[in-house]
Amino acid sequence: EDKVVQSPLSLVVHEGDTVTLNCSYEVTNFRSLLWYKQEKKAPTFLFMLTSSGIEKKSGRLSSILDKKELFSILNITATQTGDSAVYLCAGQETSGSRLTFGEGTQLTVNP
Amino acid sequence: GAVVSQHPSRVICKSGTSVKIECRSLDFQATTMFWYRQFPKQSLMLMATSNEGSKATYEQGVEKDKFLINHASLTLSTLTVTSAHPEDSSFYICSARESQGMKTQYFGPGTRLLVL
């Protein structure tokens, strides 16, 4: 059975701090790893990682995938209160693109 | 990014009634759409995979006769919760996968269902 584990489950930081969120996966016929940000409604897409070792960046957010060790990290630098959300990672398989989600990391950024 | 809409965003119904939720990909074609449900403070649980023009594939433990899925076109899938009960109250989210390109999944805004 496919499995995605995120850590930590919960994180509280102050504005300006840098955070690293972890995601390990066991997905049969793995194709890619996706990161999403979920606030009050449905998740919004952040990154899709398919190749190992290539960092993807979007503003203060960046992410990288290690296919040998089966994990990914999401970094957020200079955090802001608007970064407070649940961050979800999901493993995507090749056939049918089924996603298996982790439990999520609840990030709280205090002013 | 691509846009996926869901309608309605919120619905309150009486026990025993049926509720239909629509999921549309607005600016891309999606041969595959997915339906999830999410309970408070929990992650998304895949209910079923909806393929245009064919029967949906349901995850283990999801009753196909209770959660009817129809994927009539490349931009529309519907989920009907039949004979809803209070335990069906949840947040239902659809996602649509691009047919071309990177085949990223984009999520709709979700539908909050409350069954009284």
Side-chain angles (χ1 to χ4, degrees):
Chain A
E1 187 180 327
D2 294 344
K3 190 177 175 184
V4 175
V5 177
Q6 290 185 246
S7 65
L9 294 181
S10 179
L11 189 56
V12 181
V13 300
H14 291 291
E15 265 192 318
D17 289 350
T18 293
V19 297
T20 298
L21 309 183
N22 304 297
C23 175
S24 64
Y25 64 91
E26 294 174 26
V27 175
T28 307
N29 300 318
F30 174 81
R31 177 174 186 266
S32 54
L33 192 292
L34 290 87
W35 283 97
Y36 291 89
K37 177 182 181 183
Q38 185 175 27
E39 296 173 88
K40 293 203 184 293
K41 291 200 170 179
T44 53
F45 173 76
L46 294 175
F47 298 110
M48 175 191 262
L49 304 157
T50 306
S51 302
S52 208
I54 300 174
E55 185 183 51
K56 291 213 172 180
K57 292 195 78 170
S58 177
R60 297 176 293 104
L61 277 66
S62 64
S63 185
I64 197 161
L65 175 68
D66 185 330
K67 291 170 80 170
K68 184 180 174 186
E69 300 297 328
L70 306 183
F71 82 87
S72 174
I73 59 171
L74 175 69
N75 278 321
I76 308 175
T77 58
T79 52
Q80 301 171 358
T81 54
D83 295 328
S84 296
V86 174
Y87 290 83
L88 297 164
C89 78
Q92 183 179 49
E93 60 172 37
T94 49
S95 58
S97 297
R98 187 175 177 277
L99 290 180
T100 301
F101 280 88
E103 288 185 66
T105 294
Q106 171 74 62
L107 174 66
T108 303
V109 181
N110 290 322
Chain B
V3 178
V4 176
S5 71
Q6 262 183 260
H7 178 79
S9 59
R10 182 185 291 265
V11 58
I12 301 173
C13 68
K14 290 183 179 179
S15 190
T17 60
S18 293
V19 175
K20 181 188 277 189
I21 303 170
E22 291 187 351
C23 177
R24 291 181 187 271
S25 56
L26 297 185
D27 51 0
F28 66 99
Q29 292 186 336
T31 50
T32 306
M33 292 185 176
F34 302 86
W35 287 96
Y36 298 83
R37 66 188 295 183
Q38 186 177 35
F39 292 106
K41 301 201 184 227
Q42 292 188 28
S43 192
L44 283 77
M45 297 297 295
L46 179 65
M47 297 174 65
T49 301
S50 168
N51 294 297
E52 186 265 338
S54 65
K55 289 185 180 179
T57 304
Y58 290 82
E59 295 298 301
Q60 196 171 10
V62 178
E63 297 176 59
K64 61 181 180 181
D65 294 330
K66 179 157 184 73
F67 298 101
L68 300 178
I69 290 171
N70 186 311
H71 194 151
S73 76
L74 286 172
T75 59
L76 172 65
S77 175
T78 60
L79 169 69
T80 301
V81 183
T82 62
S83 187
H85 287 99
E87 57 266 31
D88 297 325
S89 299
S90 188
F91 191 48
Y92 291 87
I93 309 172
C94 74
S95 71
R97 183 176 74 107
E98 295 173 307
S99 299
Q100 307 294 329
M102 289 300 291
K103 302 189 179 179
T104 305
Q105 280 191 40
Y106 295 95
F107 285 85
T111 296
R112 195 161 297 282
L113 171 64
L114 177 61
V115 185
L116 301 176

